Amino acid sequence: MEKITKPRGTMDVFAPDIFAWNYIEKTVRETAEKYGFTEVKTPMFEEIGLFRRGVGETTDVVQKEMYTFTDKDGTVFALRPEGTASVARAIIENGKATDTLPLKYFYLINCFRYEKPEAGRSREFVQFGTEMFGAPSPGADFTVISLANAVITKLGLKNIRLHINSIGCPACRPKYREALVEYLRGHRDELCDTCLDRMESNPLRVLDCKNDSCKKVAEGAPRTVDHLCPECEAHFSELKSYLDACGIEYVIDPHIVRGLDYYTRTVFEFIAEGIGSQSTVCGGGRYDGLMEQLGGPKMAGIGFGMGITRLILAMKQDGVEIPALAVPELYIASMGPKAAVEAARIVTDLRASGVNAECDIMSRSLKAQMKYADKIAARFVLILGDAELESGRAVIREMASSEQTEIALDAVAAYLAEKRS
Ligand code: ATP
Ligand code: MG
């Protein structure tokens, strides 16, 4: 029979990689909670209009990358390509905008984008994201960047650098836009078809194009930082003071504009050199106009998205050791069906009290059971047969030291606890 394979650009994850996933998810949750962010869950699919309006009609995500489908009643939905638009919608829909400010949410979500798969880029990927709404000051930008930095530091990543930029606001953007369009008009011949299309409608997108020739044009383009209004200038410089004061190193990178339309003022990326062409581990910025764009109140917003697979690539590159699953403390080998039941009873009690224990469920020979105990690296092995059932005592052996002790069967938990301390 013909085999069915997974969809292109998706993945199956087994141990030991799954340990890295779980370790990252645990670290992310713990760190976000320390910063006072609470987790939020939203649907995996939304009406397509949410992303059209929230992410932007002229972005790659909306124009080329969305997975869409029509429901039985004719409504067109999209699998979420990112999390920000959904969280903003959920805040508006659930009346959270009137809660005490700032609102601080995080999420760990699967996102879907129809992209060309390569290392660090897949069609289904998991993103750790944060959203802070209702805080317009540079201290908010700093807090969000500091959270991303804390996760990266906690995961032990070293070859990673923070890049920051300011792309201005609706007050200073028009002037910059004029300068940019004029520059781009002079380089028409070097732009790809998509960029030629977007040049007049959304020229900033050209600066984010992945095409090599467009990238070269972007290199020489006018810089947003040279066209900031006094308020944006002050905001950016205050952010830098916060970062300096807290010892978070950064480089100012005028080429960062970010791929989604909703950004204003601060944009940033954490880039891990050497993990391949997809080196942006984390991307984020400020989006003060998004809430209104989605029919909500005027409310400042800032956040980031961090791709888990790219974090794993960076961890592998930096040689970070990933804590594996705990090994069993005890393996009970048994001989005969009666002993097998008693072994299961002891193991079940131990598990209920938080001990990682195993016993034979394969009816293997004693020799094969010992081999298995060795394979799973159990710290202790206890052998249970008819004689032990009768006497209520058995020999427990510490595998590493070969030390053997006879203990009462109802004292196994106490013995293990004593050995642990
Ligand atoms: P890129 O420039 O790599 O396409 P982007 O600007 O589209 O990134 P965002 O929408 O800001 O990315 O997403 C935030 C983060 O999510 C990225 O920095 C990256 O770590 C991760 N990410 C985005 N797209 C993918 C993907 N297709 N596969 C794996 N991770 C992704
Ligand atoms: Mg992208």
Side-chain angles (χ1 to χ4, degrees), residues 325-332 351 356-360 364 369-381:
L325 191 73
V327 293
E329 273 188 61
L330 176 70
Y331 176 80
I332 303 183
R351 286 170 173 165
N356 182 343
E358 297 275 341
C359 62
D360 176 63
R364 287 191 169 112
Q369 289 188 53
M370 295 310 285
K371 217 167 134 186
Y372 180 75
D374 199 48
K375 181 138 201 220
I376 62 172
R379 186 173 167 205
F380 294 95
V381 172

Side-chain angles (χ1 to χ4, degrees), residues 60-61 65 113 115 121 210 310:
D60 276 354
V61 168
E65 299 172 1
R113 296 184 191 176
E115 299 201 72
R121 188 179 296 290
K210 306 280 194 290
R310 293 190 197 174

Side-chain angles (χ1 to χ4, degrees), residues 53 257 271 275 337:
R53 255 206 278 166
V257 293
I271 300 178
I275 62 166

